[in-house]
């Protein structure tokens, strides 16, 4: 089959590789749709914690949906011909973290490798917990949004947005837009911030009540606070960009007693600074969040089935597999929102 293989930083090649085979508990799908993600951009530009540097090349991409073509021994839930949505990882369920419901930090998590390929092998732990039958009316492209949406659902759940909260979301990329949509669904008054007017227009369509174009204001923190009663700040301030300076600004947007969700993964080795005075007297709650759990994957799948978000909004570009590098670079330039990589010829 043809597959995009990751050889290292800025080195992704489309090659002929052996077709994957389903081991016990596994399934192989023919990829019908695959999409780019900020994680792919990071991995392409600077590497990523998920890269095992002594095991390169590795399959590239992690967001896909497809048709089952082979099932391994013991698989009863799926059969060839089934249309399925899949999350990219599966936790073990039995390690220290899994037992505490913190499956995102599972010590034995397994993941699919190489969504940008004609076929993908889905490991048993993923099949068992995080693969779903696609109902009629749900497209493969929309099903590709399962992984990012499940991360957004987890973040929103962890920070506990309530009816009537003022929620500022910094960043209107795929994750920021999904968080804005989910916060609006929870009954929050959402303020969306981004450098792109186009993306802010999408945020408004998804439920943001107000927007701040960061390129048009001298002081973003003041601009956001000015939109809150008495300038007191947001009940919940969320970072979905991945820059330490935005983490710092996000903290400064929270009201006294407010909650801060720091979602965007930053470059390794970076740090951020918080005023001890602010942290202490404002009684802030700062929360980091990474990835998701099977509970939130299943919630995200239900939300996709109910058309809470869809590919029409989130998948804005289409590239052939041979143009994978351009698809990733365009995502990185923030041309559009996400790109579909068409693997079937
Ligand atoms: Zn992703
Ligand atoms: Zn585990």
């Amino acid at each position: 089959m043809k597959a995009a293989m990751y050889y290292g930083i800025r080195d992704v090649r489309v090659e002929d590789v052996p077709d994957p085979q389903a081991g016990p508990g596994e399934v192989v799908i023919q990829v019908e749709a695959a999409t780019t993600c900020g994680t792919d951009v990071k991995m392409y530009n600077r590497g990523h914690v998920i890269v095992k540097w002594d095991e390169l090349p590795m399959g590239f991409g992690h967001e896909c949906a497809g048709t089952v073509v082979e099932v391994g021994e013991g698989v009863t839930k799926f059969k060839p011909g089934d249309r399925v949505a899949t999350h990219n990882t599966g936790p073990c369920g039995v390690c220290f973290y899994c037992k505490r419901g913190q499956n995102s930090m599972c010590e034995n998590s397994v993941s699919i490798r190489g969504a940008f390929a004609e076929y993908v092998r889905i490991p048993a732990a993923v099949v068992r917990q995080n693969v779903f039958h696609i109902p009629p009316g749900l497209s493969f492209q929309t099903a590709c949004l399962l992984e990012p949406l499940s991360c957004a659902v987890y973040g929103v759940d962890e920070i506990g947005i309530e009816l009537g909260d003022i929620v500022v979301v910094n960043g209107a990329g795929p994750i920021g837009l999904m968080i804005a949509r989910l916060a609006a669904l929870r009954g929050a008054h959402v303020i969306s911030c981004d450098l792109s007017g186009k993306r802010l227009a999408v945020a408004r369509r998804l439920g943001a009540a107000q927007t701040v174009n960061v390129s048009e204001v001298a002081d973003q923190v003041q601009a956001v606070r000015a939109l809150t009663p008495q300038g007191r700040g947001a009940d919940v301030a969320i970072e979905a960009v991945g820059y330490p300076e935005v983490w710092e600004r996000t903290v400064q947007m929270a009201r006294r007693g407010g909650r801060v969700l720091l979602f965007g993964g930053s470059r390794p080795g970076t740090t951020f600074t918080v005023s001890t005075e602010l942290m202490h007297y404002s009684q802030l709650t700062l929360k980091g969040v990474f990835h998701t759990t099977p509970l939130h994957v299943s919630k995200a799948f239900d939300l996709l089935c109910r058309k809470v978000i869809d590919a029409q909004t989130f998948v804005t570009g289409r590239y052939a597999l041979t143009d994978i590098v351009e698809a990733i670079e365009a995502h990185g330039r923030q041309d559009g929102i996400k790109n579909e990589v068409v693997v079937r010829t």
Side-chain angles (χ1 to χ4, degrees):
M1 69 165 181
K2 293 260 184 252
M5 301 300 291
Y6 180 86
Y7 276 81
I9 293 168
R10 292 183 178 275
D11 188 0
V12 170
R13 307 173 201 172
V14 176
E15 297 184 326
D16 287 305
V17 301
D19 288 355
Q21 291 185 325
E26 299 180 340
V27 307
V28 171
I29 62 168
Q30 177 162 27
V31 175
E32 307 278 0
T35 47
T36 60
C37 173
T39 302
D40 302 327
V41 177
K42 283 184 206 168
M43 190 166 150
Y44 179 73
N45 283 327
R46 66 185 197 219
H48 195 277
V49 289
I50 63 171
V51 176
K52 294 192 174 77
W53 296 100
D54 48 356
E55 289 175 27
L56 296 180
M58 63 186 269
F60 189 47
H62 62 275
E63 295 179 6
C64 62
T67 306
V68 174
V69 291
E70 187 192 349
V71 301
E73 192 193 322
V75 174
T76 53
K77 205 167 130 195
F78 302 102
K79 60 181 189 313
D82 288 352
R83 291 155 31 97
V84 295
T86 182
H87 181 58
N88 66 325
T89 61
C92 72
V94 294
C95 73
F96 176 90
Y97 301 99
C98 283
K99 281 181 180 166
R100 282 154 183 79
Q102 297 177 320
N103 313 67
S104 58
M105 290 172 284
C106 173
E107 291 176 317
N108 313 303
S109 180
V110 293
S111 65
I112 65 172
R113 285 272 178 266
F116 303 133
E118 290 180 86
Y119 300 95
V120 171
R121 181 183 62 86
I122 305 178
V126 184
V127 172
R128 221 166 38 239
Q129 303 171 89
N130 288 336
V131 180
F132 305 85
H133 291 276
I134 295 178
L138 182 67
S139 70
F140 286 115
Q141 286 78 8
T142 296
C144 282
L145 302 175
L146 179 61
E147 182 265 333
L149 183 64
S150 68
C151 297
V153 169
Y154 182 46
V156 164
D157 218 24
E158 284 283 290
I159 203 65
I161 293 168
E162 290 169 23
L163 181 65
D165 275 351
I166 297 175
V167 176
V168 60
V169 183
N170 286 299
I175 291 288
L177 288 169
M178 288 176 187
I179 290 174
R181 176 79 175 121
L182 296 170
L185 283 175
R186 281 208 169 187
H189 178 91
V190 176
I191 302 168
S192 189
C193 303
D194 199 89
L195 288 162
S196 156
K198 261 197 227 164
R199 288 181 168 209
L200 290 174
V202 177
R204 278 193 185 264
R205 282 212 305 281
L206 292 173
Q210 292 175 298
T211 54
V212 173
N213 190 321
V214 181
S215 67
E216 294 170 0
V217 295
D219 183 332
Q220 189 194 349
V221 174
Q222 283 315 314
V224 167
R225 295 189 83 95
L227 296 175
T228 64
Q230 293 90 47
R232 70 173 171 244
D235 300 293
V236 178
I238 299 176
E239 202 277 358
V241 180
Y243 290 120
E245 59 271 28
V246 186
W247 282 40
E248 290 178 356
R249 266 183 259 151
T250 302
V251 172
Q252 291 161 19
M253 290 175 192
R255 69 162 166 82
R256 281 189 275 166
R259 282 129 40 223
V260 180
L261 181 69
L262 300 165
F263 190 106
S266 300
R267 195 176 276 275
T270 52
T271 57
F272 77 116
T273 304
V274 180
S275 149
T276 52
E277 203 178 7
L278 180 72
M279 186 76 197
H280 179 69
Y281 292 108
S282 291
Q283 292 191 205
L284 295 179
T285 300
L286 268 52
K287 179 98 183 87
V289 71
F290 163 70
H291 206 46
T292 190
T293 78
L295 171 65
H296 299 91
V297 176
S298 61
K299 286 185 183 190
F301 183 71
D302 289 344
L303 291 169
L304 286 178
C305 291
R306 293 179 206 137
K307 310 284 161 63
V308 158
I309 60 163
D310 62 25
Q312 272 78 38
T313 303
F314 280 86
V315 182
T316 49
R318 230 165 163 248
Y319 294 81
L321 179 60
T322 45
D323 297 329
I324 178 67
V325 168
E326 177 52 23
I328 297 299
E329 288 181 344
H331 186 125
R333 285 194 302 271
Q334 306 184 1
D335 290 350
I337 298 172
K338 290 175 95 69
N339 294 319
E340 179 181 357
V341 176
V342 180
V343 298
R344 290 189 75 170
T345 44

